[in-house]
Amino acid sequence: MNQLVHSAKLKPTEVPTARESGRTNDPARTMAEILAVATHEFADKGLTGARIDEIAAATRTSKRMIYYYFGSKDGLYLAVLEEAYRRMRTIEADLHLDDLEPVLAMRTLVEFTYDHHRDNEDFIRLVMNENIQRGDYLRQSKNIQSLNSIAIQSLQAVYARGVAQGVFRPGLDPVDIHSAISAFTFFNVSNRHTFGLIFQDRASPDKANTLKREHVVDLILRFVSHQISA
C-alpha cells in the first residue's frame, strides 16, 4: 500500500526564493504552472515514470520549490488529480442545467462530457493511470468525494424534474446514469488507439472518434427516456 501523501513544509530558512529559480514571486501563478506541466508529465509517463526534475525545468522552478508547495512527488500527483476533477466540475457547474428543460439539460450534460473527454486526453490518461494504482492516491484525497458528489446532485435534479414531467422513466439511480455517460465518453478516448488500429476506418490521427457524439447522446437519452424490454 502506498504511503499517505504528506505536505510537510520546509523551515523558514529553507523556503526557496524567487531569486533561486529566476521567477517572479507569485506563488499562485507558480503553483498553477507547476500543476499544468505536471498534469501532462503524469498523464504521459504515469506516477513512476514522471520526473520532478523535468517538471522543474519546464516551469523554471526548482525541486525544492515544488516540494515546498506540494510536499513530495506523491503530493504533487494527488494535487494534479484533484485539480483535474475540480476543473471539470467547475466548468460543468457553469452549464446551468437547472435553467434548462430536462431533455435539453441531459443532452447538454452528455455533450459537455463527450467534448471535455475528447479534448482533454490527459484527463483520461490520468484516470487510467490512477486505476492502475487501484485508486490508492484518490483514496487519500479529502476533497474528491465532495467534488464529485456535486455532479451527482446536479444530475439527480435534472433526472427528478424529467420524471416529474413524464419525459424520463422512473426507477433509475443517478449514479447509474452518470456511469453510463462516463462509460461511453471515456471509452471514446481511452480505447481510440487500439480500436482505431483494429477497425482502421475508425482511426483518428487527431482527436477521438471511436463513438460519434450524436450517437452517445442518443444512447443516453434512450436509456433515461424509454422502458427497456425484457
Side-chain angles (χ1 to χ4, degrees):
M1 181 69 179
N2 294 300
Q3 294 181 346
L4 291 178
V5 171
H6 63 278
S7 56
K9 298 295 185 181
L10 299 176
K11 297 177 181 178
T13 56
E14 298 176 312
V15 174
T17 63
R19 188 182 303 109
E20 177 181 317
S21 61
R23 294 180 58 91
T24 302
N25 187 17
D26 187 345
R29 180 179 177 182
T30 298
M31 291 178 70
E33 290 180 0
I34 291 171
L35 285 172
V37 172
T39 294
H40 183 69
E41 180 75 5
F42 285 123
D44 189 47
K45 301 175 183 175
L47 174 60
T48 303
R51 294 289 176 265
I52 295 296
D53 285 332
E54 295 187 17
I55 297 171
T59 54
R60 295 176 294 112
T61 57
S62 66
K63 289 177 68 173
R64 292 180 72 236
M65 184 172 287
I66 291 174
Y67 290 147
Y68 171 70
Y69 287 130
F70 299 100
S72 64
K73 180 181 181 182
D74 287 357
L76 176 59
Y77 173 73
L78 179 54
V80 163
L81 287 173
E82 290 183 334
E83 176 62 16
Y85 278 101
R86 185 203 63 77
R87 188 164 52 248
M88 179 181 180
R89 298 311 178 203
T90 298
I91 301 172
E92 193 174 84
D94 289 339
L95 298 176
H96 301 292
L97 299 179
D98 289 342
D99 298 332
L100 306 175
E101 57 90 12
V103 174
L104 179 57
M106 189 68 71
R107 176 184 294 275
T108 299
L109 177 60
V110 177
E111 290 176 342
F112 160 74
T113 308
Y114 183 100
D115 292 345
H116 174 274
H117 289 2
R118 179 198 60 199
D119 297 337
N120 293 275
E121 190 167 344
D122 279 352
F123 174 78
I124 301 300
R125 293 174 67 86
L126 282 171
V127 176
M128 291 168 65
N129 285 326
E130 181 59 10
N131 273 283
I132 291 174
Q133 301 289 336
R134 295 179 172 83
D136 286 348
Y137 288 88
L138 275 186
R139 189 175 295 114
Q140 301 170 41
S141 172
K142 298 178 180 179
N143 305 313
I144 203 65
Q145 297 295 334
S146 59
L147 279 173
N148 289 283
S149 64
I150 295 174
I152 298 300
Q153 292 168 11
S154 177
L155 180 56
Q156 166 71 59
V158 170
Y159 173 66
R161 287 193 290 117
V163 171
Q165 294 179 24
V167 295
F168 293 158
R169 62 190 178 97
L172 295 178
D173 186 329
V175 175
D176 289 339
I177 301 173
H178 178 79
S179 296
I181 297 171
S182 296
F184 287 122
T185 56
F186 192 93
F187 176 90
N188 185 53
V189 183
S190 66
N191 287 49
R192 79 179 183 94
H193 297 291
T194 54
F195 201 86
L197 286 169
I198 295 169
F199 305 100
Q200 295 185 6
D201 61 320
R202 295 298 183 92
S204 175
D206 184 18
K207 293 183 178 180
N209 192 33
T210 306
L211 294 168
K212 294 187 181 301
R213 187 176 188 253
E214 61 269 25
H215 292 171
V216 174
V217 172
D218 185 59
L219 285 165
I220 297 301
L221 289 179
R222 287 178 179 273
F223 172 52
V224 300
S225 301
H226 300 285
Q227 292 290 345
I228 299 176
S229 299

